[in-house]
Amino acid sequence: MSAPPVPAVSVLRGEDVLAHAGALRSVYVDAFCAPPWNEDEERAAEFAARLPLDARRPGFAAAVAVSGREVLGFASGWTTLPPFPTDRCYPQAAAGLGAGRTEDWLCGAFEVDELAVRPGAHGSGLAGALLDAVTADAPEGRCWLLTSVQAPRAMAFYHRQGWTQATHPSPDGKGIVVFLGPNHPARTLVPQPL
């Protein structure tokens, strides 16, 4: 029996990603509608609806992994423009970092918004390859992301990839944390231990 083909990872800019919109929605469902995320079809529909808008954001890029004709995973993001956003989970990030660090560390940096891999590709190194590909052109190595403290496997993954946790979890053990990419110049400024 031959080994499955190695997925090809390509980086798409702007609206070029929309050619894969249906496949990305399918990967999103496979990745996030199961524990620990437990999202529902409505959240997948929201992702699909905002993808065309996100694709128009400055600096938008998506790394897409394809094996044969199947999309196995993707990572996407864009440049965080000032003023720092106040929707979604952004207020928690700003509260954790403070206004000065939020502006200095996150504004103008590449923000990884989504990283999703089909369960059958877990443990293959594909998530790391997607993360590396989508952040390869981050300005001066400045990239960041948010993740939930209720996803310890995701947090451990980012630590293994060399990302630095920049905020403490909330006292009740819920909410989000900010990670800075391995080449982000501010990662050495993060108070330790976290």
Side-chain angles (χ1 to χ4, degrees), residues 40-68:
D40 56 22
E41 275 291 324
E42 185 176 323
R43 292 296 298 270
E46 289 171 7
F47 163 76
R50 71 180 161 85
L51 185 60
L53 302 173
D54 290 343
R56 291 188 206 109
R57 290 177 184 255
F60 179 87
V64 180
V66 179
S67 179

Side-chain angles (χ1 to χ4, degrees), residues 4-19:
V6 175
V9 175
S10 57
V11 177
L12 306 172
R13 306 271 176 212
E15 294 182 350
D16 290 348
V17 73
L18 300 180

